[in-house]
Amino acid sequence: MADVTLKQVRKRFGSVEVVHAVDVAIADGEFCVLVGPSGCGKSTLLRMVAGLEEISGGEVSIGARVVNKLAPKERDIAMVFQNYALYPHMTVFDNMAFSLRLAKEPDSAVRARVNEAAEVLGLADYLARYPRQLSGGQRQRVAMGRAIVRKPKVFLFDEPLSNLDAKLRVAMRTEIKALHQRLKTTSVYVTHDQIEAMTMADRIVVMNAGRVAQIGSPLALYDDPANRFVAGFIGSPAMNFLPARVVANGSRVQMQLHGGIAFDAPATRPIEPGRAVALGLRPEDLAPAPEGLAALVKVIEPTGADTQLLCSVAGQDVTVLLRERRSLRVGDTLSLAPRRSYLFDAENGDRLA
Ligand code: ADP
Ligand code: MG
């Protein structure tokens, strides 16, 4: 087991810097998820930890060792990728034993480790099968097995579930989480899927364009996003943002939305009148109330468990998630009061309140 520390880590491809001075400290035994949109630098960062990509600046440590100059196989890590090509001509046992045999481990040790991993992964009855005789989920488990048998200090995952169908993806993410609770090996898991990040992580690192946007526990990021990027990225359906201008500021921030509609929110710090802001409202925080914002219902989508509405509020599209069933029709007007709201600087996206 080991902690993983990134200090001011940078990556340049030629003259283009794609990872900018990233600082992350991952504790021993932690399950840390790197999440962000495609192209934000997640894989590049993970590959620098793995030793598959040269580090242009800064320092990566695993345990007490700075590993910048160490080859992948000297770093005591194991990686699981999206494209986990198994050897098609080898049985499950041989696929899982491959790296141990390569490392010239004695046969008895190989057998013990593969059997142990097969037991943990529910593959004990499949060891004699070939990959083509397995389901997608079982193949994914064999790929995990290949990583587990090496008893690495750190697991690195790069979107390991993206090739699976939706149902299997949900099942596998529970399996991986359960596996981590059992093995407690430090894990760094890359995904673009914020639900995967929220459900699996002890701590999430949200990345945006090669920078860390925020680090925190799933619920801390949801409840207390540091900026508009994190607020919009974490949570599903996504937070609504309404352009507004601050009119006055006392114990509450008074603002004007489009069309001169007045709205006020609790003030946590002074914001000067005249400032352009974005009012953030989560769909699930909006509920019908006698006094609130007028919302014209445009689309109604019942899922059974809840109902998603697309409404027009102050001239903007706003998503609303209703937990209770109500008889509603397109064209109705609701009055919506937010249970809580967020304020962001309109220009740089910093959280203001
Ligand atoms: P993510 O995994 O978050 O989708 P990547 O880490 O793969 O993103 O890529 C981050 C950025 O670095 C992207 O803009 C990508 O085009 C660029 N990039 C990745 N690999 C290379 C490479 N070998 N040469 C040049 N640019 C690269
Ligand atoms: Mg990637």
Side-chain angles (χ1 to χ4, degrees), residues 125-140:
D125 294 338
Y126 301 90
L127 288 170
R129 289 206 193 174
Y130 289 89
R132 65 173 182 279
Q133 300 169 311
L134 300 176
S135 71
Q138 290 165 335
R139 275 183 226 153
Q140 182 63 45

Side-chain angles (χ1 to χ4, degrees), residues 13-14 18-19 36-45 53 158-159 190:
F13 289 109
V18 300
V19 173
S38 178
C40 71
K42 308 178 294 292
S43 294
T44 303
L45 203 57
E53 204 75 74
D158 195 349
E159 313 236 8
V190 162

Side-chain angles (χ1 to χ4, degrees), residues 51 90 117 124 181 185 219 341 344 352:
M90 286 185 195
Q181 279 161 8
T185 307
L219 294 182
S341 61
F344 303 93
L352 300 173

Side-chain angles (χ1 to χ4, degrees), residues 283-295:
E284 57 275 32
D285 287 340
L286 290 167
E291 289 203 12
L293 293 163

